[in-house]
Amino acid sequence: MQPVRKAVLPAAGLGTRFLPVTKSIPKEMLPLVDKPAIQYVVEEAVQAGISDVLVITGRGKGAIEDHFDRNVELEQVLERSGKTAILEEVQATDRLAHVHFIRQHEALGLGHAVAVAEPHVGGEPFVVMLGDDIMVDDATLLTRMLDVHAETGGSVLALMEVTPEEISAYGALTGEPVREGVMRARGVVEKPKPEEAPSNLAVIGRYVFTPGIFDALRETEPGVGGEIQLTDAIGILLEREPVFGVVFSEGRYDAGKKVDFLRANIELGLARDDLRDEIEQMLRTLVRARGLT
Ligand code: G1P
């Protein structure tokens, strides 16, 4: 079995849910505490043992490339002023992983963005990680998915139970349990209407794919919203190869939703030794001042 060595991070989306800030700043660069959201995703890949990362970018996404590049001038200034701790933090970013970039020239959908990665990942299995889903779980979910791939050789999707009202924001999966927390996928529908949803199991933005996904993508016609949907390609793939799902419930933040983005900021701050006490104090004061107890 070929090991999974590469991660693909689609980052070409326009970020309309976070306008006006995303007019000039890529949504992937919005800060969670003091690191851009995309850095948490790269760190998660590295934690799961994957250090080759391909970011699919588009127009206006240059800041992502700058972030993972060296900034020699900044390093010199920090060095001269003796700010060693922050210098190390800055240097760690470009040493974190081998980060590569390819542009998706037209925003034709998530499936199309993944197809753009084919020359880079070639004939190897790989993971796809969506930056809107921020996992704060020490890469537990991704590691479980890689284990199922290693065991079965099949593609693996991340699955989370959501409410019937929420399912129309996601790909919805049908299948049968293989064992506790693992499903064999039988069908998948992109953004079904609540009354038509085949299940309440949502596909969340972590995927392990065999190279078979590229053939499936080539055959995928535009779907919901006129876009080439990754979900539709998965529907083709599961007719040909076994596709599995790993069910999880903890550690995910939907960075595409404003309130969840704020929650992620607070909880990531609370996980930091240097900020915990101050944030707890701030929360206590806020709760009191607003009479929320
Ligand atoms: C995308 C996928 C969808 C998946 C979701 C996970 O949708 O198309 O199948 O359930 O990510 O976050 P988007 O959120 O880009 O609309």
Side-chain angles (χ1 to χ4, degrees):
M1 173 84 54
Q2 263 180 307
V4 178
R5 301 185 306 137
K6 295 181 178 175
V8 173
L9 275 53
L14 294 176
T16 44
R17 284 185 287 188
F18 267 90
L19 281 169
V21 67
T22 45
K23 193 176 164 202
S24 58
I25 296 171
K27 66 171 173 177
E28 296 78 11
M29 290 302 294
L30 297 181
L32 287 167
V33 189
D34 51 12
K35 287 191 283 195
I38 194 170
Q39 187 168 338
Y40 291 89
V41 183
V42 174
E43 287 175 357
E44 181 193 340
V46 170
Q47 222 177 344
I50 298 170
S51 58
D52 183 301
V53 174
L54 176 71
V55 184
I56 313 292
T57 65
R59 187 166 296 280
K61 300 284 183 166
I64 305 177
E65 296 190 37
D66 288 344
H67 182 70
F68 290 104
D69 191 6
R70 282 191 69 184
N71 183 337
V72 178
E73 208 182 323
L74 174 67
E75 287 177 30
Q76 283 169 353
V77 170
L78 292 173
E79 195 161 10
R80 273 201 299 271
S81 50
K83 295 188 169 148
T84 352
I86 188 70
L87 173 64
E88 277 167 23
E89 187 90 10
V90 165
Q91 286 173 330
T93 312
D94 63 86
R95 291 182 189 155
L96 191 60
H98 302 287
V99 186
H100 310 269
F101 300 89
I102 298 187
R103 261 186 184 230
Q104 181 190 15
H105 296 291
E106 276 180 282
L108 297 178
L110 179 60
H112 180 259
V114 172
V116 167
E118 188 173 12
H120 184 83
V121 299
E124 293 182 32
F126 63 103
V127 304
V128 170
M129 305 173 77
L130 305 187
D132 273 350
D133 294 307
I134 298 290
M135 294 301 302
V136 183
D137 71 340
D138 290 327
T140 306
L141 169 65
L142 190 56
T143 307
R144 282 178 65 205
M145 294 172 70
L146 289 167
D147 288 347
V148 172
H149 169 74
E151 186 190 315
T152 62
S155 295
V156 188
L157 319 173
L159 301 175
M160 196 175 86
E161 268 186 43
V162 298
T163 62
E165 301 76 57
E166 288 170 327
I167 195 70
S168 26
Y170 299 97
L173 185 123
T174 46
E176 71 260 350
V178 179
R179 60 167 188 262
E180 179 72 33
V182 181
M183 309 273 298
R184 169 81 191 257
R186 294 297 178 195
V188 67
V189 191
E190 178 68 4
K191 301 197 170 70
K193 294 200 182 96
E195 62 277 15
E196 286 166 13
S199 79
N200 63 343
L201 273 180
V203 177
I204 303 298
R206 298 291 179 274
Y207 311 78
V208 182
F209 285 123
T210 62
I213 194 68
F214 293 120
D215 290 326
L217 280 165
R218 263 187 285 281
E219 294 161 39
T220 303
E221 303 283 338
V224 175
E227 297 188 342
I228 308 284
Q229 296 290 350
L230 184 57
T231 302
D232 295 341
I234 296 169
I236 297 176
L237 187 69
L238 59 79
E239 300 288 335
R240 300 177 178 166
E241 303 176 7
V243 174
F244 297 88
V246 165
V247 186
F248 77 103
S249 57
E250 311 253 296
R252 175 211 180 219
Y253 297 88
D254 184 349
K257 284 194 185 144
K258 286 166 198 167
V259 173
D260 226 25
F261 188 80
L262 294 174
R263 184 171 71 97
N265 255 304
I266 292 170
E267 294 204 18
L268 285 164
L270 286 169
R272 290 252 305 248
D273 291 340
D274 59 332
L275 297 173
R276 185 177 308 113
D277 292 350
E278 266 183 90
I279 296 176
E280 281 178 358
Q281 189 52 44
M282 180 266 287
L283 290 173
R284 270 192 290 268
T285 313
L286 201 65
V287 165
R288 259 200 310 273
R290 300 193 68 94
L292 293 172
T293 43

